[in-house]
Amino acid sequence: MKLIFLGPPGAGKGTLAVRAVNVIGVPHISTGNIFRAAIAEQSELGRSVKAILDAGKLVDDETTIALVRERLARDDAQKGYILDGFPRTIPQAEALAGFSAVDKVINFDLSDTLVLERLGGRRTCRKCGANFHILFGKPKQNGICDSCGGELYIRDDDREEAIAKRLEVYREQTAPLIDYYRKKGLLVNVDAGPSPDAVLENFKTSLDIAG
Ligand code: AP5
């Protein structure tokens, strides 16, 4: 199954993707995670995108499309994938259509109030990228990742000014994709407001997935 996860920043796309890969057995491909890993490695890509991510702006289409095209060409993505955070612009969606045909686009609906609550309390593992929340998904040990023991930190783009910029960019450049995919008959809406377990159930029901 080839899926796109669409939705505002902090809607829970990454959180659901980690759970959904266990259900549908395809890789989770997050452009945000790829950029953050490049920044941590201080690679050429990482150095060129760090300021853009920190400010809550978008990396240019050409760089992002080339990166996803290369990733989707790998063996593990041939049977399917969850694309989390890509496409984010109409040109990215048009480019994707040229090299892969998606089955469904899951649109995660969440109010701005809940977006702010989720991003404001998010804690991310520096080592493996796992997400926690100070209220809704606490780690067993304060400041330590349950999965790998890495240090939890506050993402630079989870500061107030960067969140405001990300929401603005989402409305201007990414939200038009909702209509774009609706017109193609690919859009499935999922209410992202309930708990992660309930969102997973909504997701499975929407796609008619058993188990
Ligand atoms: P990216 O990492 O994709 O950021 P995003 O889309 O803003 O998404 P987030 O990771 O912030 O949120 P999420 O929806 O995954 O929520 P999460 O599960 O963490 O991109 C970062 C940057 O990279 C971009 O700003 C841009 O610069 C660049 N970039 C990436 N892709 C690009 C592209 N295609 N083109 C150009 N540039 C690109 O959940 C959030 C919090 O809520 C967590 O704390 C979690 O524990 C909690 N939570 C989740 N679900 C629930 C729930 N159901 N109930 C309660 N709490 C919940």
Side-chain angles (χ1 to χ4, degrees), residues 9-10 12-15 31 36 57 85 88 92 122 132 166 194:
K13 304 179 293 294
T15 300
T31 39
R36 280 185 291 278
K57 297 178 184 165
R88 249 179 162 97
Q92 289 181 12
R122 174 163 57 189
F132 297 86
R166 285 160 69 200

Side-chain angles (χ1 to χ4, degrees), residues 77-127:
Q78 300 318 303
K79 59 180 175 173
Y81 49 74
I82 294 174
L83 262 183
D84 165 11
F86 182 95
R88 249 179 162 97
T89 63
I90 298 283
Q92 289 181 12
E94 285 172 346
L96 175 66
F99 55 84
S100 192
V102 300
D103 296 310
K104 291 284 173 206
V105 177
I106 315 299
N107 178 43
F108 293 91
D109 269 335
L110 197 69
S111 67
D112 282 4
T113 311
L114 287 181
V115 162
L116 295 175
E117 204 172 82
R118 288 189 185 177
L119 293 180
R122 174 163 57 189
R123 298 293 181 270
T124 302
C125 176
R126 229 180 247 293
K127 210 163 141 194

